[in-house]
Amino acid sequence: MLDLLYHRRSTRKFLDKPVEVEKVKQLITAGLLAPSSKNNRPWEFLLVDDADQLKAMAYTKPHGSSFLANAPLAIIILGAPGKSDVWVEDCSIASTLIQVEAESLGLGSCWVQVRNRSHDEEISAAQYLRRHFDIPADMEVLSIIGIGYKGQERTPLDDDDLIWSKVRKNSYDSKMKF
Ligand SMILES: Cc1cc2nc3c(=O)[nH]c(=O)nc-3n(C[C@H](O)[C@H](O)[C@H](O)COP(=O)(O)O)c2cc1C
């Protein structure tokens, strides 16, 4: 598991190659297996593999979503606030598990933040997607995970990237040493 986590880096360049249906199913399975508060499972997953739709999704935000134009697959992570007051946490966990599963399947992925982000001065990023995909009013949008075969090599993280000073033990003013 740690080896996989060292190697998972955000991928924003993809090969022009579709993700096989069996792998798509495994990605969604990872999301559906996510733990959630009180087992409310407030998430839903909207798969997009249509090139024109993906190009439209690239305009979700002025920055940080353009790479979706060249992704073969994106999963919109939706949450139902009416089902859980911690839908953000639940949807974040599902997003992360999908990213980790992508890495384990030899795929690259990158999170696009949607919640609390703007499309332009008038509408939110979520409203832009809501209109485009007819997302019902009782569902919110947390994120989009862009996924595909990696079209870029990224250096894996290593032990020098680990900020051990963030770790404390028993009391906040004591550092943890291993
Ligand atoms: C909550 C969250 C929001 C993010 N939003 C975006 C985004 O909108 N666009 C983007 O290109 N990357 C986004 N990222 C990816 C981060 O930029 C990336 O994970 C971070 O720089 C660390 O790099 P790494 O994933 O390669 O380790 C987001 C990641 C997280 C966890």
Side-chain angles (χ1 to χ4, degrees):
M1 180 70 175
L2 277 183
D3 190 54
L4 188 146
L5 295 179
Y6 277 110
H7 281 85
R8 184 222 53 82
R9 301 297 315 280
S10 292
T11 302
R12 299 181 181 86
K13 289 187 182 139
F14 302 101
L15 301 181
D16 186 14
K17 176 180 174 183
V19 179
E20 298 84 344
V21 175
E22 187 50 38
K23 289 194 175 182
V24 175
K25 185 178 176 189
Q26 286 172 274
L27 292 164
I28 295 299
T29 301
L32 292 171
L33 285 168
S36 65
S37 172
K38 300 177 185 171
N39 206 21
N40 276 331
R41 293 178 281 192
W43 16 251
E44 293 187 19
F45 307 103
L46 175 48
L47 288 166
V48 184
D49 65 358
D50 176 81
D52 290 336
Q53 304 266 53
L54 287 157
K55 283 190 174 58
M57 289 167 79
Y59 294 101
T60 299
K61 306 195 292 182
H63 305 287
S65 57
S66 58
F67 75 88
L68 292 171
N70 296 309
L73 175 69
I75 303 174
I76 303 176
I77 314 290
L78 304 164
K83 287 197 179 147
S84 176
D85 60 342
V86 289
W87 68 272
V88 173
E89 289 85 342
D90 292 339
C91 289
S92 298
I93 294 166
S95 301
T96 304
L97 290 189
I98 288 171
Q99 287 202 271
V100 171
E101 176 64 12
E103 182 65 33
S104 85
L105 293 170
L107 300 164
S109 73
C110 185
W111 180 311
V112 174
Q113 180 67 21
V114 175
R115 191 182 75 91
N116 281 353
R117 295 290 180 264
S118 298
H119 167 70
D120 58 20
E121 286 177 7
E122 315 244 300
I123 63 167
S124 68
Q127 279 170 307
Y128 174 77
L129 294 170
R130 186 182 299 287
R131 288 177 189 177
H132 195 84
F133 291 100
D134 295 325
I135 296 167
D138 60 349
M139 299 301 295
E140 290 294 338
V141 186
L142 179 89
S143 62
I144 304 167
I145 309 299
I147 303 170
Y149 282 94
K150 296 175 190 177
Q152 64 182 143
E153 281 287 326
R154 295 218 47 201
T155 313
L157 298 174
D158 64 30
D159 288 342
D160 291 338
D161 294 303
L162 304 179
I163 309 171
W164 286 102
S165 62
K166 290 181 175 292
V167 185
R168 296 157 201 281
K169 189 177 177 191
N170 292 331
S171 164
Y172 192 80
D173 60 9
S174 74
K175 301 273 186 233
M176 175 76 191
K177 276 206 164 179
F178 284 100

